[in-house]
Amino acid sequence: MCADTGGYRERAARLSGAVVWEKRAPCGVPAVPLRVLPDGCTDLLWMDGRLMVAGPDTTAHLPATRPGELVVGLRFAPGQGPAVVGVPAHVLRDQRVPLDALWPRGEVERLAGTVAGNGSPGRVLEEIALRRFREAADPPDPARGVIAAALGRGRSVAEVARTVGVGERQLHRRCLEAFGYGPKTLARVLRLVRALELARGGLPYADVAARAGYADQAHLAREVKALAGAPLGVILAPG
């Protein structure tokens, strides 16, 4: 009998900047979708007995789960995922793709068997990612951290391009490959991430808007609704 009440937890991964997380849907009640918000990240997933890749989202994703179902993921730092999964981030934007569509089927079947037979699937996902990261033919863009930090602070595209030492068109291309979005969309997503961090810390919405770089609280509300698909109060509600 399933008696699990469900829940979410995460921890830092051994791959720098990445996070291992798991979500179990509660038993005995209809599963409520976990709202997955845009964050500029790519995830390696173990769900429904399969290895999957979740690309960077441009809007909220509400995956369907069964009561009691466990989903385990490794969320890469922004710009880190392509070096592991082997394709540019924009190829996976707004998609959930079976890993065997990207890697040789036999290799994925072997890895899936290893995950299924291990009591700590998150640790196996880490090992898979660490090995692929070390052997990556195309390592992550070395400027990805600078780009994300500058855009997250509200710097203009032109300013960020000058900081990195490239033209705006090349910056756009590099952002698509690393993050899945152009720099303007990436800036919106990172600003949303920052706003939610501040709001979860108990800051009043007007102060959240000012500190995260929105014009005003109404601007914050519009952007949250556009990117997260629900008002800020709904996003922050426990559950």
Side-chain angles (χ1 to χ4, degrees):
M1 177 180 295
C2 177
D4 202 304
T5 58
Y8 174 87
R9 62 182 181 179
E10 64 177 45
R11 62 171 175 82
R14 287 177 288 160
L15 181 61
S16 179
V19 171
V20 175
W21 59 268
E22 63 177 56
K23 168 70 177 179
R24 185 179 292 280
C27 296
V29 297
V32 176
L34 170 68
R35 187 179 298 270
V36 180
L37 304 180
D39 58 8
C41 299
T42 300
D43 292 58
L44 179 62
L45 305 175
W46 173 248
M47 57 185 300
D48 198 24
R50 303 179 70 189
L51 287 165
M52 307 281 292
V53 177
D57 293 316
T58 54
T59 57
H61 176 70
L62 284 82
T65 56
R66 301 185 306 275
E69 181 180 3
L70 175 67
V71 180
V72 182
L74 175 63
R75 183 170 67 246
F76 301 107
Q80 190 180 60
V84 176
V85 300
V87 297
H90 66 84
V91 174
L92 301 171
R93 184 173 54 228
D94 292 321
Q95 296 191 63
R96 272 61 184 163
V97 178
L99 187 60
D100 59 16
L102 305 174
W103 296 3
R105 183 178 299 275
E107 177 185 0
V108 174
E109 289 177 351
R110 178 181 59 79
L111 292 173
T114 301
V115 177
N118 192 287
S120 300
R123 187 167 296 278
V124 181
L125 295 183
E126 285 183 275
E127 292 169 356
I128 293 170
L130 282 165
R131 184 174 65 253
R132 295 283 299 202
F133 193 80
R134 288 193 296 263
E135 298 172 354
D138 295 311
D141 187 334
R144 74 188 190 281
V146 173
I147 293 170
L151 290 171
R153 291 195 301 269
R155 300 277 297 278
S156 71
V157 174
E159 288 178 306
V160 176
R162 286 196 297 271
T163 298
V164 179
V166 299
E168 291 184 36
R169 291 182 66 181
Q170 186 177 359
L171 176 66
H172 186 87
R173 177 181 61 78
R174 289 170 71 166
C175 283
L176 285 176
E177 292 178 353
F179 306 104
Y181 325 116
K184 291 183 178 180
T185 300
L186 177 61
R188 291 179 65 205
V189 167
L190 295 176
R191 184 172 57 185
L192 172 68
V193 172
R194 173 63 174 156
L196 292 176
E197 288 175 350
L198 293 169
R200 288 179 177 127
L203 204 65
Y205 290 177
D207 293 337
V208 169
R211 290 183 57 178
Y214 294 93
D216 51 31
Q217 188 173 335
H219 184 205
L220 166 66
R222 290 194 302 272
E223 282 289 277
V224 171
K225 187 67 178 295
L227 292 171
L232 188 54
V234 173
I235 301 300
L236 298 177

